[in-house]
Amino acid sequence: MKLFRLLGVALTALTLSLPLAAQAQQAGQPDEVAQLASLVNLTDDQQKEIRGLIQSTDAEVRKLQTEARSLQEKLQGEVKPGYSERNITRTAKKLGEVMGEITGKTVLLQAQVESVMTEEQRAELQKKMEEQQRQMQQRMQQMQQQQQQQQR
């Protein structure tokens, strides 16, 4: 379960950053699949399969993200004197549904990617994700300590 949660965080970030990944790849930087491949030694076939999964999800998620942004803007437009509680409630409900769809598609992608990986690869990914989390926590603690020292 812990592995799934860690993989979920990684793949959620991956899915939500697909437009940025395309830009990075055009700039000559490795994409997320290449990074994952280097972390857990994915085979060429696994990389190809994962790329296909991401591509099939990408268009749907992008469309939903655009819709979510539009709904958020619509909600912001309702913040005014003479607001309509009905419009706010209806738009917020629709935004929740769209965000739920994005989450569902992301979790489905996570499950599909996990099914492509071997047990050993999943274990290696979990190990590396936990190490990255530890490093991130250490950096945050260091930053907090520096801020506290500066405030003195």
Side-chain angles (χ1 to χ4, degrees):
M1 186 55 111
K2 192 175 185 182
L3 169 65
F4 186 74
R5 197 169 72 233
L6 290 171
L7 184 60
V9 170
L11 288 173
T12 298
L14 169 75
T15 302
L16 296 177
S17 68
L18 287 171
L20 296 174
Q23 292 173 357
Q25 193 172 14
Q26 290 172 355
Q29 298 173 356
D31 66 1
E32 284 83 359
V33 177
Q35 292 172 356
L36 182 61
S38 69
L39 286 174
V40 298
N41 298 319
L42 293 176
T43 66
D44 290 342
D45 288 341
Q46 287 175 312
Q47 290 180 58
K48 184 178 178 181
E49 188 172 350
I50 291 171
R51 282 191 206 312
L53 293 169
I54 291 171
Q55 287 175 350
S56 67
T57 304
D58 182 45
E60 296 173 54
V61 171
R62 282 182 195 230
K63 180 181 173 192
L64 290 168
Q65 288 172 328
T66 299
E67 185 177 355
R69 280 190 295 275
S70 174
L71 290 166
Q72 288 170 334
E73 290 170 7
K74 186 175 180 182
L75 274 175
Q76 286 301 310
E78 290 292 331
V79 178
K80 61 186 176 191
Y83 64 90
S84 168
E85 185 174 342
R86 182 176 174 215
N87 287 345
I88 291 171
T89 302
R90 189 178 333 146
T91 304
K93 182 178 179 183
K94 180 62 179 165
L95 178 59
E97 291 169 1
V98 170
M99 295 304 291
E101 284 185 64
I102 291 171
T103 301
K105 291 188 181 305
T106 301
V107 171
L108 179 59
L109 177 61
Q110 291 169 222
Q112 292 169 333
V113 169
E114 185 174 323
S115 71
V116 172
M117 296 169 58
T118 66
E119 188 67 37
E120 293 82 17
Q121 289 168 326
R122 288 190 293 272
E124 182 66 20
L125 180 62
Q126 178 178 358
K127 179 181 160 187
K128 291 185 178 181
M129 295 280 293
E130 287 173 351
E131 179 59 32
Q132 286 180 349
Q133 282 186 332
R134 276 192 293 279
Q135 290 174 356
M136 179 69 98
Q137 287 173 347
Q138 287 174 349
R139 283 190 292 255
M140 290 183 71
Q141 287 173 348
Q142 288 172 348
M143 288 173 50
Q144 288 174 350
Q145 289 171 355
Q146 288 173 352
Q147 287 175 348
Q148 288 172 354
Q149 289 174 354
Q150 290 174 354
Q151 291 175 354
R152 293 181 185 163

